[in-house]
Amino acid sequence: MSTGEETCQELCTAISTVITALIDADGVCDYPVSDIPIHDVVVTGCAIASVRTFRVSDDTILVTVEAVVEFNFNAIQPDGNAVTQHAECGTTIEFLLNLLPPLTFFDQPCTPELECQAVYAGFDPQIGAEEFIVTVTGTVSCPACESAVVNVKLCPVSSES
């Protein structure tokens, strides 16, 4: 049946896309100190041990980052000898990441591209620990579906003789 007008049908579909969010999060790593006082603390590195993402809603992801701070320090042993030692401090930093606009996410995990830096913050006498401020920066990219409307036109029917 031809009415002289083009006929089309609207179909709902989805377009695959990736949402990338910039990350800049801080946390604290506490290194409990025993009876031997330490001094001359120097941070030698910071590494991301693991990153986990968990979808909380269509626009919110919980990101859990485990970071390890490496450092050297000097200590005076009970016999009076000074020693230089290497140690590590591990911490977990959690934060909610809002991804806009809200989209439908695939069941594929998000891809983090993160790094960390640490600075020595001093001794906290209330908890008896050396403290480090850990900063996590980078991006987290999540695959998603973006809603779209596609116009589909009926194909003309050719007649064969």
Side-chain angles (χ1 to χ4, degrees), residues 15-19 103 106 142-146:
I15 299 171
S16 175
T17 188
V18 174
I19 298 176
L103 302 172
F106 293 132
C142 300
C145 286
E146 182 178 340

Side-chain angles (χ1 to χ4, degrees), residues 81-110:
N81 289 328
V83 294
T84 299
Q85 294 186 341
H86 179 79
E88 293 181 347
C89 180
T91 189
T92 300
I93 302 169
E94 290 185 326
F95 54 92
L96 292 173
L97 182 60
N98 290 322
L99 301 174
L100 296 174
L103 302 172
T104 302
F105 289 94
F106 293 132
D107 288 332
Q108 299 173 2
C110 296

Side-chain angles (χ1 to χ4, degrees), residues 34-56:
S34 63
D35 296 337
I36 300 173
I38 68 175
H39 53 88
D40 301 328
V41 177
V42 177
V43 174
T44 58
C46 186
I48 303 292
S50 71
V51 180
R52 292 182 305 278
T53 59
F54 177 75
R55 188 175 87 184
V56 177

Side-chain angles (χ1 to χ4, degrees), residues 63-145:
V63 181
T64 304
V65 179
E66 292 184 18
V68 177
V69 178
E70 296 182 30
F71 61 99
N72 292 331
F73 62 89
N74 292 326
I76 305 295
Q77 293 182 328
D79 63 4
N81 289 328
V83 294
T84 299
Q85 294 186 341
H86 179 79
E88 293 181 347
C89 180
T91 189
T92 300
I93 302 169
E94 290 185 326
F95 54 92
L96 292 173
L97 182 60
N98 290 322
L99 301 174
L100 296 174
L103 302 172
T104 302
F105 289 94
F106 293 132
D107 288 332
Q108 299 173 2
C110 296
T111 304
E113 297 279 338
L114 302 175
E115 61 183 34
C116 67
Q117 293 183 334
V119 294
Y120 177 59
F123 179 72
D124 184 342
Q126 291 183 339
I127 61 173
E130 299 291 339
E131 290 194 325
F132 301 87
I133 304 298
V134 179
T135 301
V136 175
T137 57
T139 61
V140 173
S141 299
C142 300
C145 286

Side-chain angles (χ1 to χ4, degrees), residues 20-34:
T20 300
L22 293 175
I23 305 300
D24 188 359
D26 293 323
V28 176
C29 190
D30 294 321
Y31 181 76
V33 179
S34 63

